[in-house]
């Protein structure tokens, strides 16, 4: 994702259709589309456009991409297929990628009220599942690259807006934010970053944010 600019979710979906997203971001958009069926017509329209262009230029490009993705999925590096549960908050494509349904994720406590499951570096990106306690503020930070956060359950908000189930929050170098989980239930999601985060804000706020006060 380095050097790219995800101004909007539509731009992200266009890159998804074009097949040039890193694998974790590709899975994130696929999971979004599994929840947000209303965005599928956009995908179909873009695929039709892309199909027309590809026929004129590189007819093998889509097949190459699909076979590469299939190879990555079958390599075992990204988690074994799991027994899917009906009515899970976790889309099937994400369960397959992560290797767990949401109730079985082996969370690690990163900070009080903040749990993560780190999938590590995949295709040049860092992929994590996150669990935020109701009302918990994430320490204020900015980004050295792109950060995509797909909400699966609950919701969080920052100064750019509110993100509930199925929403993708897009942040980059220009965004300094302090995402806060809503108070009624934990906020669970999947995040993909292509560069480290950098903590911001006054030291006292950083300390209280870290401890979750
Ligand atoms: Zn962020």
């Amino acid at each position: 994702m380095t050097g790219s600019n995800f101004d909007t979710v539509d731009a992200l979906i266009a890159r998804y259709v074009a097949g040039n997203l890193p694998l974790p971001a590709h899975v994130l958009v696929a999971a979004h589309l599994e929840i947000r069926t209303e965005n599928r017509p956009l995908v179909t329209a873009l695929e039709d456009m892309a199909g027309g262009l590809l026929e004129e230029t590189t007819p093998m490009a889509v097949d190459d991409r699909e076979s590469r993705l299939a190879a990555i999925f079958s390599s075992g590096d990204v988690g074994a297929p799991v027994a899917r549960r009906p009515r899970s908050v976790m889309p099937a494509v994400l369960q397959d990628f992560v290797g767990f349904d949401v109730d079985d994720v082996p969370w690690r406590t990163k900070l009080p009220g903040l749990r993560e499951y780190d999938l590590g570096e995949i295709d040049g990106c860092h992929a994590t599942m996150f669990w935020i306690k109701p009302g918990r503020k994430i320490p204020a930070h900015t980004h050295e690259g792109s950060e995509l956060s797909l909400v699966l359950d609950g919701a969080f908000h920052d100064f750019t807006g509110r993100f509930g189930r199925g929403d993708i929050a897009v942040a980059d170098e220009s965004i300094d934010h302090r995402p806060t989980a809503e108070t009624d239930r934990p906020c669970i999601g999947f995040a993909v970053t292509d560069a480290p985060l950098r903590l911001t804000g006054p030291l006292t706020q950083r300390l209280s944010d870290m401890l979750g006060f």
Side-chain angles (χ1 to χ4, degrees):
M1 289 186 282
T2 304
S4 63
N5 189 0
F6 300 134
D7 285 342
T8 64
V9 173
D10 285 357
L12 194 59
I13 290 174
R15 284 197 55 192
Y16 166 85
V17 171
N20 62 7
L21 286 175
L23 180 63
H26 189 91
V27 169
L28 184 143
V29 174
H32 160 80
L33 292 168
E34 213 176 297
I35 300 171
R36 289 298 173 84
T37 52
E38 70 269 24
N39 276 349
R40 288 187 192 154
L42 171 64
V43 173
T44 306
L46 287 166
E47 280 173 348
D48 288 347
M49 276 171 54
L53 289 171
L54 288 170
E55 278 164 26
E56 292 165 21
T57 53
T58 53
M60 293 303 290
V62 171
D63 289 344
D64 286 352
R65 173 69 185 177
E66 292 305 318
S67 59
R68 194 166 82 82
L69 283 173
I72 293 169
F73 271 113
S74 64
S75 70
D77 291 342
V78 293
V82 292
R84 291 177 196 147
R85 294 190 182 144
R87 291 181 293 151
S88 170
V89 298
M90 200 152 158
V93 66
L94 192 57
Q95 287 189 39
D96 285 347
F97 185 69
V98 171
F100 297 101
D101 192 6
V102 71
D103 294 332
D104 303 322
V105 172
W107 301 108
R108 295 266 166 87
T109 297
K110 193 178 181 198
L111 293 171
L114 174 61
R115 301 175 192 164
E116 278 190 357
Y117 174 59
D118 190 344
L119 284 91
E121 300 289 326
I122 301 169
D123 206 9
C125 293
H126 205 99
T128 53
M129 295 283 302
F130 61 84
W131 181 102
I132 315 170
K133 185 178 145 187
R136 197 348 172 167
K137 291 184 178 68
I138 299 298
H141 63 270
T142 186
H143 320 81
E144 293 178 8
S146 302
E147 174 189 72
L148 306 173
S149 306
L150 171 68
V151 176
L152 302 173
D153 198 11
F156 74 83
H157 61 266
D158 64 13
F159 76 93
T160 68
R162 177 191 186 271
F163 302 91
R165 173 163 168 76
D167 289 331
I168 299 175
V170 181
D172 62 15
E173 300 91 334
S174 68
I175 304 249
D176 184 330
H177 64 167
R178 195 182 187 197
T180 304
E182 291 191 352
T183 52
D184 57 333
R185 57 196 289 117
C187 180
I188 300 172
F190 176 62
V192 177
T193 56
D194 63 1
L197 307 182
R198 191 159 48 78
L199 292 180
T200 56
L203 184 59
T204 49
Q205 180 193 299
R206 284 192 215 179
L207 285 170
S208 64
D209 279 357
M210 299 278 258
L211 295 169
F213 294 153

